[in-house]
Amino acid sequence: MVCGGFVCTKNALCALNILYVLVSLLLIGVAAWGKWFGLVSSIRVVAGVIGVGVFLFMVAFVGLCGALKHHQVLLFFYMIILFAVFVLQFSVSCACLALNKDQQNRLLEVGWNKSEATQKDVEKTLNCCGFYHVNYNGSCAASCFNSPSPSCDPCSVLIQQYAGQVLQFVGGIGLFFSFTEILGVWLTHRYRNTKDPRANPGAFL
């Protein structure tokens, strides 16, 4: 059977969905590990990562079942969902890669002000206090704040050093996986319209 036939397309689609299953389990495991060891205290962040992992697992499971059974309905819904995810992920990835310095700062400030738990995580991890200014009359989770003579840097200075690299990395990874998703859409469309050579030659499954 030459590559591009029924069996080759089926195996390629199964392999792609197995990759998605592994990635989804990795996301769920990393989020649970971070919460268990207290690296991330924000329930929203952990729940968001786990939610993405569960959604990806369900989509991959539907695609894997559809590929193994050559089920037309499952493959159709899998193809539609995967294309919608591709459009969303491709747009977000391009936005991450296109953000300039000022847009990055505004985005970071919005994220900082949205969650106090995230603020504490950042202050504890980066050993900094506040976003633009350090308020020594307030509270801070950083170790530098609890020293006899506290001297802490604002978190914006430290975050901005890595923000560009992180956005480039996230955008690049997202762009890579978006192309695997459009590959999955193409494989699914090709597989749905290919007859199973082991079935009745006059039947179309």
Side-chain angles (χ1 to χ4, degrees), residues 128-205:
C128 59
C129 290
F131 191 73
Y132 287 120
H133 306 286
V134 180
N135 182 14
Y136 290 104
N137 295 323
S139 61
C140 179
S143 59
C144 63
F145 190 81
N146 298 320
S147 61
S149 56
S151 177
C152 301
D153 294 323
C155 292
S156 61
V157 177
L158 300 176
I159 295 174
Q160 289 167 5
Q161 293 178 0
Y162 304 101
Q165 297 177 2
V166 170
L167 287 173
Q168 292 288 326
F169 176 78
V170 171
I173 293 295
L175 203 61
F176 169 76
F177 274 101
S178 67
F179 285 112
T180 67
E181 289 156 5
I182 201 63
L183 173 64
V185 172
W186 177 77
L187 287 172
T188 306
H189 180 268
R190 183 183 182 90
Y191 184 58
R192 285 187 75 244
N193 293 282
T194 303
K195 293 182 180 180
D196 188 346
R198 295 167 298 181
N200 183 358
F204 184 75
L205 300 180

Side-chain angles (χ1 to χ4, degrees), residues 86-162:
F86 161 76
V87 172
L88 178 63
Q89 187 168 325
F90 183 80
S91 303
V92 172
S93 299
C94 290
C96 288
L97 295 173
L99 286 176
N100 57 37
K101 194 74 173 178
D102 294 334
Q103 291 171 334
Q104 291 177 16
N105 292 340
R106 287 197 296 269
L107 183 63
L108 290 171
E109 187 175 5
V110 170
W112 176 270
N113 295 327
K114 198 170 184 180
S115 173
E116 293 185 3
T118 302
Q119 294 178 16
K120 292 180 180 179
D121 289 337
V122 174
E123 289 174 344
K124 183 178 179 181
T125 302
L126 299 181
N127 196 27
C128 59
C129 290
F131 191 73
Y132 287 120
H133 306 286
V134 180
N135 182 14
Y136 290 104
N137 295 323
S139 61
C140 179
S143 59
C144 63
F145 190 81
N146 298 320
S147 61
S149 56
S151 177
C152 301
D153 294 323
C155 292
S156 61
V157 177
L158 300 176
I159 295 174
Q160 289 167 5
Q161 293 178 0
Y162 304 101

